[in-house]
Structures are given as C-alpha cells and as structure tokens.
Amino acid sequence: MKIVEAIVAVCTRTPVLVAALGIALGVEGGVYTATHFKMDTDSTKLISDKVDWRQREAHFDKLFPQQSNLILVVVDGATPELAEAGTAALTTALSGQKQFFRNVRRPDGGTFFDQNGLLFLPYDQVKATTEQMIAAQPFLGPLAADPSLRGVMNSLKTALEGVSRGRAKLTDLQRPIAGFADVLGAIANGRTAFLSWRSLITGAKSSPRETRRFIEVQPRLDFAALEPGAEASDAIRAAAVSLGATPDHGVRVRLTGPVPLSDEEFATLADRAALMLGAMMLAVVVTLWLAVRSFRIIVSILVTLIVGLLITMGLGLFVAHVFNIISIAFVALFVGIGVDFGIQFCVRYRAERHARDDLRAALIRTGRGVGTPLALAAAATAAGFFSFLPTSYVGVAELGRVAGIGMIVAFVLCITLLPALLMLVRPYGEPDRVGFGFFAMIDRLMVSHRTQVLRVAGVAGLIALILVTFVRFDFNPLDLRNPKTESVSTILDLMQDPQTSPNTIDVLAPNLDAAKVLAARISGIASVGQAITLSDFVPDDQSRKLALIRDANLLLDSTINPFTLKPAPDDGEIVASLNATAAALRDAAGKAAGASAAAATGLADALTKLASGTPQLRAQATSSLVPGLKTMLTQMSASLQANEVTIASMPPDMVQDWIAADGTARVQVFPRDTSGTNAAMARFSKAVLQVVPTATGAPISIRQSGTTIVNAFIEAGVLSFLVITILLIVVLRRYRDVLLTIIPLVLTGLLTLGTAVAIGLQLNFANVIALPLLFGIGVAFNIYFVMAWREGRKDLLQSSLTRAVIFSALTTASGFGSLWLSSHPGTASMGELLMISLAWTLATTLFFLPALMGAPPKR
C-alpha cells in the first residue's frame, strides 16, 4: 500500500519529531485517564434497560425499593438463644450507623414475631408448648428471680430436695441434669460449650431453622469503587466482633446477597493478580525475544504498545465517559492484537533488513509489504468489535466501542511511532535469514497432499459441527464464582432449605384480593413449592390458640416476671452454690441407679471441678448458661403477650414488603426443586412465566440474561460477518479470496466449540468474551496469508510471515493463558477457552489455509 509506504518514509525521515509527538499523545492520554477515570461496577447496567425482562425488574424495584441491593446477614448460633441475642444486638448496632446503611431490619424477628410467634404454629404445637411452659413453672420461678449461675444451681438444688423427700424421682430431673452435665463438664475440662434452654424445656433438639436468624441490610453503595459495598460489609463484621458475635462465643455471622456476591467476585478476580501479571509479562517478553531477537526492537514494540494503550484509554473515557466491569477488558484485547501488529511489522522488517542492510530503506519496504494486510486486518477487527454496538448487551457493546477505537490506534501507531522508534534505537543488522527452514517439508506436503489435508479438515469440521449442537450456555452466575468464598458458600447453604432459598419469583397483582387468587392459581403449578402473599401472615385458628396462650400467661406471668430480682452474686456465693448442689447431686445419685444416677454423678464431679477452679473458669460457665437463660425468659414473656394478628396490626415495614404505596400486591413464589441447578431454575421460571408472563425474580433474570447475552453474540456475529465480508470483497475484489479468508475462520470456530464440548467446558458469561478476540486474531492471521499468497509468494510456512504469526499467537497465548491461573472459575474458564481457540486458530492458519489456497496465482 503506497500510502502506508509514504507514511513510514515521512516518519523515518523525522523520527525525533514523530516519537516526541507520539509519546506526548500517550502522556496526554494518561493524564486525561488519571483525571477522568471512572469505573461503574454496577452489574445491573451491563444489559440494556430497554429489554422487556429488565423493565419488569426495574418496575418491581421501583414499587419495592427496599428489596434491591441488599446484604443478607445470616446469624447462626450454637443455640436458639445465642442466635436470637446475637441478631438482636447486631440489628440495634447497625441501625445506628446511618452513614453505612439506608435500612436495617429483621424479616424473621422483632417485637411483632416475638409476641405473636406462637400463633404461626399449628394448634397442637401451641398446646404442647404452653403445657411444657406450665410444667416447667417450678423450675422457672427461681431462675427468673435469680438469673445467674447461683440461681441455676439453687434451682436445681431445690428440685433435688424434692427428690430426697420423696416428692419426685431423680429420673424426672434426668433431662436437665444431663444437659447441665454435658455443658459444664466440657467447660470444666477446658472446652467450650453452650446450653440450649429451649431444648432443656421441650426435650427436642434445636433444628437448623431455630438456630438461624436473618438481618436484611440495605447499604449505601459506592459504585466508583471496585467493591461498592465493601465499607458496609466491613462495618457489619466489625460490629459483630465488637459485640462478641463470633464463633468462640457460639455465634457465626456470614454475609451474602447481591452486594457481597458482587464484591467478593471482584475480590476473587484480584486474587493471584500479581502472579498472573508476573507470569504474563515474563512470558510476553520471552516470546518477543524469540520473535525479534533484539531488545531494542522489543523496547520499541512495548513503548508503542503502552502509548497506544494510554491513548485508547483516554479516547475510551472521552467517548464512553465511564468504564464498566466488562469494557475495561479492552486492555487485554488491545494488548493481544496490538502486539500482533507490532510483531508483524518488526518480523517483516527483519526480513527486509536481511535482504538489504539499510535501516531506513528496510523500514520503508516493510511499510510497502505489510501496509495492506495490516490495514485490512485492523479494519476487519475494528468492524468485528463495532458490531456489538447495536446489541442489548451494553457491557460488551461498550467493550466493542473502545476496543474498535483501539484497533485503529494500534494500526496508526504501528506505521508511525514504531518505525520512528526503530530509527532512533537503530537495531543491529540481520545476518541470518528470518523464517523457519524446517517447515520446508510441510510446505511441500501442503502442495503434494493438498486433497488429503482438505479431506482431514473437512472430516474434523463435520465432527465439530455435530459436537457444536451440544454446546450449552451456563447462565447461572454462581457457577462462575469461587464456592469457597463466604457469600457463595452461604447462599448455597441457604438453597438447601425451601424456606430460605433465594431462587424465588415475584409476581405483581393490582391488590391483595387479586394476589390471593393469583397465588392459589400459581400454587397449582407442578414445579412450584408454595406461593405466598401478605394474607399468609395472618395465622389461622387464632381464637383457640390465643385462649391457650392467655391461660398460660395467667399462670406464668408472675413467675417469669418477678417483682424483685436478687442482686448479682459474687464469686464466693457462686462457689458455695456449686458445692452445695454437687453434694445434693451425690446424695440423690447414691439413692438411685441407672442413667439418672450416672448423670447426677457426672454433673456433681463437674461442679466440684468448677468450684475448685479459677474465677475465670466459673465466669466461662456463667457466660455459657446465663445469657441464654435471660434470652429464653425474655422470649417466653413476650410470647405470652400475643394478640390477634390482622393486616392492620402488622408492622408498617412488613406490610411495605408486600403492598406497594399504590396498592400493588406482591406474590412470592418458591420452587419445589431447591437444588439450584440450571435445569431446575429453567423449569421453574418457564412454568411460572407461562401462567404469569409479567413475573420477575432471580431465576427469571438469570435465565433471561443468558438468553439476552447469547442473542447479542449471535446478532453481533452475523453483523460482523456481513460487514467483514463486504470489506473483504471491496478490498480483495475476488470472491474466491474472500472465501479463502473466511472459511478457515469458520472452521476455527467449529473446532473451538467442538473441543469445548468434548472436554466438558460450557460457555458462560465470562469465557464468551474470548470469542471477539478469537475472531479478531483469526481474521488478521488469515488476511496476512491470503494477501501474501495473492502477491505470488511461495513456501509461506518458511517465510518471515509464519514466524510473525506463530510468535504473535504465542505472545497472545502467553498473555491470556495466565488467566487460567486465576482462582476465579469464570476467569480461569476464559483463559482455557482462549488457549483452545488460539491453538485452533494457529493450526488452521498454518496447516489448513495453505492447502486450501493451493499454488499462488500469477502476479
């Protein structure tokens, strides 16, 4: 191309001016980037808000804003009492930190549920619970009057006196004695243990639902930060630690929900970043050395690359104003293809320098030789990236915009700044021939066995085409995240319980009455577990249940709410009560036999050990028994104050979760299959949408986002194919040459996807971004070979062109192959797919395209 030759000639005539101008533009780009850099990490903006399902999602968020951008705090306690106390204290602490949190509330607790919780149980269970409370009255009275370790011991001692007087049997006390023996025996022997008072009274082991509580937190997010909710999450963890809500105190606090999931994903992406960057830079430099054999040339390529990257970043910010979490990946695309342009130019320069040892003349001849292929490759690659602009996948559309601009910048700098820098650094001459002589035999095979090569390629393509029909897109974002992170492991844990599964669907109805009718209709769907509305929080059979509760309150109110409390004991009083109770236990055990006697003896030994131990040991025993006791007494007292529940009596924030300001009612639909698999979510969302097409929620959003992304890539693929085909027709002017450029690219795509199917690698939101890079590099490589073939060049595998292509591919592989080292599953899968695609790109370009082209035409 004469114009490129002329540009190179001008730039090599005034290299200082061109280099200074290029570097100045790079500095300006860097300054503009530093002063205008913005990063929007809001993943909800990656797909256009004009898409139907996104509009439904936005409409729901507008009606129920408190349901969006949440941190779900999951509090697990060793006992129900510890879980409740820890959750209540943490909720109070977080509610006061308005600088971090917009809203803090308990969806499963608070005054309303504390008072009316019994009403939500079946009548028989309410009856059994109140009877158990009444039966425990003799034991509860002394405990309520003296809620301390001394009070616990005195209460047990009083009960044992009844055994010694024949009014009770030791077996009647076996359950509390055994419970105390397990906990206090462990503490006496230096272990940590906690007592569940609820289990002690009811005799039933606490279920996971009883020992788990939730707090919903709506944080103030900073979308300019890589982790928008990091400050809020840190504040929650700090508050938990300051309150003693830690595993060593019997409480575990975990964070999950949309905000922690997103934040921890970014943190995982940064994990091993130094290792990946170091491996990438080392591999790139080594590969560049093998390609050009000159540190002066390597420095010129790297300077050109850095200047181009800075200019592209500045232009990208000028055009887009802000980068998103996908568009920032243009850096990887620019490096991959920018290095290719640099290697193509420099390897061709080495060949020209070998033929004629004149630096400037060799550079000018290089401009003439690579001008058209580089220009066409840059134009085709840019067109491929720009093809994403009309799609609904905004994240990749912005990536395409910036990367397309980058391709133009990379080409311009390759024919201006790079030759100018080479003139300034003055690399040594090239005494050796540039190319691979050992490829001579393969060159001959490509001609002599052309038919066989094409048949093998055809069979491979056919097999790959069959495999491609089994390509699957994994639309579940959880599969792209590290399952070892707290947010992911927690949400996977919650998915095991139908009541806490996050994979629910929301349906809107004009009012509550319509919502009840709609919920009944949805409940009949086979894949639906249950559909609930606000009306489901009005308990049934309230009058009978309230009668039981009020009777129990009449008997227990003065017992569990004494008028006076004993003052807190000192350590001497605690020691005395321990010794006295131990003596009573031994006396009772001596008059009995069996398991009850053994339990009494074991507890007596533990109490004696505690009494003779340090005050710290007795303080540990107190902390294991007393806080739970106080929580249990408070909960019991509150539960006996139940009143009739109506929608009018419900807390306003609870009603607002189900009824919007305009009266729109919400129906929450739970899946029957809580496995969380892609198939289960697809069945669930499809079934609900068939009944209610306006439904929204995580299963629908996840599935629809996958469909939107796949359609975006198909749309962009078809558009880029058409645009590049037209571009090739205009430039090459022969349909055969156009087909020679495109057919290997199609074969590469089939082989890449077929290989992915064969090894079980599914496409996902992360690795699908590798496809534009595959397309760009594949088009460029094919154009280089076809243009050289059109010029009448023979033995292409032995030429400097093949050397440039091989080392360009190796450099790109070195850079992006390091992604395979990432601990982030999505990023690792991207690196894996990139390596597969690059391998097939290189194979088809070197060993299929020459056979497809055959003998070169006459010039």
Side-chain angles (χ1 to χ4, degrees), residues 594-605:
S596 59
T601 301
L603 178 57
D605 293 341

Side-chain angles (χ1 to χ4, degrees), residues 516-573:
K516 289 190 288 186
V517 174
L518 187 57
R521 182 183 173 196
I522 294 173
S523 297
I525 300 174
S527 58
V528 170
Q530 61 175 339
I532 62 175
T533 68
L534 182 62
S535 297
D536 291 296
F537 290 90
V538 178
D540 58 0
D541 206 6
Q542 291 193 65
S543 58
R544 295 175 66 204
K545 295 175 185 177
L546 284 170
L548 292 174
I549 294 171
R550 287 166 183 161
D551 288 345
N553 187 49
L554 286 174
L555 294 172
L556 295 174
D557 183 50
S558 59
T559 300
I560 59 179
N561 297 297
F563 293 105
T564 59
L565 296 178
K566 288 187 177 180
D570 57 30
D571 188 58
E573 291 175 307

Side-chain angles (χ1 to χ4, degrees), residues 394-515:
V394 175
V396 174
E398 290 299 325
L399 170 64
R401 185 203 305 268
V402 180
I405 293 172
M407 295 305 97
I408 299 171
V409 171
F411 170 69
V412 172
L413 292 180
C414 187
I415 62 173
T416 55
L417 180 59
L418 182 55
L421 290 173
L422 290 173
M423 280 296 296
L424 293 176
V425 300
R426 296 193 170 275
Y428 298 114
E430 298 289 343
D432 300 324
R433 181 174 179 271
V434 179
F436 295 121
F438 55 81
F439 272 148
M441 182 180 68
I442 300 178
D443 260 328
R444 291 192 296 270
L445 285 174
M446 292 296 105
V447 177
S448 62
H449 294 75
R450 182 188 178 201
T451 302
Q452 291 89 330
V453 172
L454 294 179
R455 285 176 179 171
V456 170
V459 171
L462 182 60
I463 294 173
L465 180 61
I466 295 171
L467 289 173
V468 166
T469 60
F470 297 96
V471 168
R472 295 292 180 268
F473 189 91
D474 185 357
F475 56 80
N476 190 344
L478 283 181
D479 293 340
L480 304 185
R481 297 183 168 113
N482 189 342
K484 295 181 181 179
T485 59
E486 179 183 83
S487 61
V488 177
S489 63
T490 303
I491 204 167
L492 292 175
D493 185 14
L494 296 180
M495 286 167 60
Q496 304 307 309
D497 186 346
Q499 297 295 326
T500 59
S501 174
N503 294 322
T504 60
I505 289 176
D506 291 300
V507 177
L508 299 179
N511 50 61
L512 186 56
D513 290 336

Side-chain angles (χ1 to χ4, degrees), residues 34 59-60 67 122 125 157 199 224 249 259 356 395 458 465 468 537-538 541 567 590 619 674 682 707 712 717 724 758:
H59 178 60
F60 179 84
Q67 295 289 332
Q125 196 169 343
K157 181 173 174 292
S199 298
H249 291 92
V259 174
R356 183 179 177 183
L465 180 61
V468 166
F537 290 90
V538 178
D541 206 6
T674 60
T707 302
I724 290 174

Side-chain angles (χ1 to χ4, degrees), residues 668-679:
Q668 189 174 26
V669 187
F670 290 80
R672 185 177 302 278
D673 184 346
T674 60
S675 63
T677 63
N678 292 342

Side-chain angles (χ1 to χ4, degrees), residues 2 27 127 138 246 283 339-340 364 434 451 457 460 530 592 605 819 833:
K2 292 183 178 180
V27 171
K127 186 173 184 294
T246 55
V339 165
D340 170 59
I364 294 173
V434 179
T451 302
Q530 61 175 339
D605 293 341
L819 297 176
L833 188 61

